[in-house]
C-alpha cells in the first residue's frame, strides 16, 4: 500500500506541475524542457507499471471474492441438502442417520459462514482499491496529456524563454548606457565638442576684433592728414 501511495503522490505531483513556473527557475530552458520530457516519459512508464500491478492485485482480490461468494452459496446448498436428508431419515425413524446429516449440515453452515465473512471483509478493501485504480488512471491520463502538450509547445516555450532572456539583456544594456547622464562617456564627449566649438568661435571673434582696430587706425590717420592739408592751404592763402 505504501508503494501505491508513493506512486499516486508522484503522479499527482507531475500532473499538477506548472511548466511555466519551472522554466522561470531554469538557467537553460531548452535543456530543462528536454529533461522534463524525459522525466515525464520515464515517470509515465513507471506509473503505468505500478498501475498495472495494482489492477492485477485488485482483479485477483475480486476473483477471490467471487470464489468466496460462490463457495458460500455452495456450502449453503449442501447444508440445505443435508438438513432435508436428516429430516427425511428422522421421519422414517432413523434417528442416528438424521443426527449424522444434521451434523453435516452444521459443518456446511460453518463453512458457509466463514466464506461469507471472508467476502464481507474483502469487499470494502476491494472497493477502495478500485477507487485508487480510477485515481491512478486519471492521473496517468493527465500526465500523458501534459506530456503531449509539453512536446507540442516545446519550440514555442523555448522561443519565448529566449525572447525574455534577450529582452532582459537589452534592458540591462540600456540601463548601463544612459545618454542623458552627463557623467556618461557620451555626455563627456558631447561636452568636449561644445568646448571646442566655443573655442573656435572665440578665436574667430578675437581675429575679427583685431582687423576692426586696424581699420580704425587707418581712419584716424586719414583724418589727421586732412587736417594738416587744410592747415597748409590756409597758410598759403595768407
Amino acid at each position: 500500500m505504501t508503494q501505491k501511495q508513493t506512486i499516486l503522490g508522484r503522479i499527482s505531483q507531475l500532473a499538477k506541475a506548472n511548466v511555466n513556473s519551472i522554466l522561470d527557475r531554469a538557467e537553460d530552458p531548452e535543456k530543462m524542457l528536454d529533461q522534463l520530457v524525459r522525466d515525464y516519459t520515464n515517470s509515465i512508464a513507471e506509473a503505468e507499471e505500478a498501475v498495472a500491478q495494482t489492477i492485477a492485485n485488485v482483479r485477483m482480490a475480486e476473483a477471490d471474492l467471487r470464489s468466496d461468494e460462490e463457495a458460500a452459496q455452495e456450502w449453503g446448498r449442501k447444508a440445505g441438502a443435508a438438513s432435508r436428508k436428516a429430516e427425511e431419515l428422522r421421519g422414517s425413524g432413523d434417528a442416528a442417520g438424521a443426527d449424522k446429516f444434521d451434523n453435516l449440515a452444521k459443518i456446511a453452515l460453518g463453512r458457509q459462514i466463514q466464506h461469507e465473512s471472508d467476502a464481507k471483509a474483502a469487499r470494502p478493501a476491494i472497493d477502495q482499491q478500485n477507487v485508487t485504480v480510477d485515481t491512478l488512471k486519471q492521473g496517468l491520463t493527465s500526465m500523458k496529456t501534459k506530456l503531449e502538450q509539453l512536446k507540442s509547445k516545446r519550440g514555442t516555450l523555448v522561443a519565448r524563454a529566449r525572447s525574455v532572456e534577450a529582452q532582459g539583456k537589452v534592458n540591462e544594456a540600456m540601463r548601463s548606457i544612459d545618454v542623458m547622464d552627463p557623467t556618461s562617456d557620451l555626455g563627456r564627449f558631447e561636452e568636449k565638442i561644445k568646448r571646442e566649438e566655443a573655442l573656435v568661435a572665440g578665436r574667430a571673434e578675437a581675429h575679427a576684433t583685431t582687423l576692426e582696430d586696424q581699420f580704425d587706425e587707418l581712419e584716424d590717420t586719414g583724418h589727421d592728414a586732412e587736417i594738416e592739408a587744410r592747415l597748409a592751404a590756409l597758410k598759403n592763402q595768407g
Side-chain angles (χ1 to χ4, degrees):
M1 188 64 181
T2 302
Q3 181 182 6
K4 287 185 290 185
Q5 289 177 340
T6 301
I7 293 296
L8 177 59
R10 290 182 59 191
I11 291 176
S12 176
Q13 182 180 9
L14 288 171
K16 295 178 182 178
N18 188 326
V19 175
N20 290 328
S21 177
I22 294 173
L23 288 178
D24 289 341
R25 302 191 300 270
E27 295 182 1
D28 191 328
E30 188 171 358
K31 289 183 179 179
M32 175 60 74
L33 281 168
D34 291 339
Q35 186 61 47
L36 279 175
V37 169
R38 288 192 293 270
D39 289 345
Y40 260 72
T41 302
N42 293 336
S43 294
I44 287 174
E46 294 177 5
E48 283 182 332
E49 183 61 26
V51 172
Q53 184 61 50
T54 301
I55 292 173
N57 293 336
V58 173
R59 299 299 172 255
M60 290 176 62
E62 288 175 339
D64 291 340
L65 173 62
R66 288 191 298 271
S67 179
D68 283 329
E69 291 174 340
E70 292 171 358
Q73 294 175 358
E74 179 63 22
W75 284 109
R77 286 192 294 269
K78 289 181 178 180
S83 178
R84 288 191 297 271
K85 184 65 174 178
E87 291 302 316
E88 179 184 341
L89 293 174
R90 187 171 288 108
S92 64
D94 187 354
D99 290 341
K100 173 184 176 182
F101 278 97
D102 275 341
N103 287 332
L104 288 175
K106 291 179 180 179
I107 293 173
L109 288 172
R111 299 286 180 85
Q112 181 187 32
I113 292 172
Q114 182 60 50
H115 285 293
E116 287 176 347
S117 177
D118 291 343
K120 183 178 180 180
R123 191 173 290 108
I126 292 174
D127 291 341
Q128 181 58 50
Q129 286 177 329
N130 276 318
V131 171
T132 300
V133 167
D134 290 340
T135 303
L136 290 171
K137 287 181 177 179
Q138 292 174 4
L140 275 176
T141 300
S142 178
M143 285 179 66
K144 290 177 179 179
T145 299
K146 181 158 289 189
L147 178 60
E148 293 305 315
Q149 292 175 347
L150 185 61
K151 288 179 178 178
S152 65
K153 289 184 177 181
R154 178 187 177 280
T156 301
L157 290 172
V158 169
R160 286 173 56 190
R162 296 304 185 201
S163 177
V164 170
E165 180 183 1
Q167 186 62 46
K169 290 181 179 179
V170 170
N171 292 339
E172 185 65 26
M174 290 298 294
R175 285 195 297 269
S176 65
I177 303 177
D178 186 357
V179 296
M180 300 302 294
D181 184 1
T183 62
S184 67
D185 292 339
L186 184 59
R188 288 194 294 271
F189 182 66
E190 183 179 3
E191 184 66 25
K192 179 180 179 182
I193 292 175
K194 287 181 180 179
R195 286 198 301 269
E196 291 181 353
E197 289 175 343
L199 179 59
V200 170
R203 287 173 177 171
E205 184 177 342
H207 182 63
T209 300
T210 302
L211 289 177
E212 290 175 359
D213 290 343
Q214 292 176 0
F215 279 110
D216 287 344
E217 290 178 1
L218 288 175
E219 291 176 359
D220 291 343
T221 301
H223 181 70
D224 293 342
E226 179 67 22
I227 292 174
E228 293 295 333
R230 291 190 180 191
L231 179 60
L234 288 172
K235 290 182 176 182
N236 291 332
Q237 290 177 0

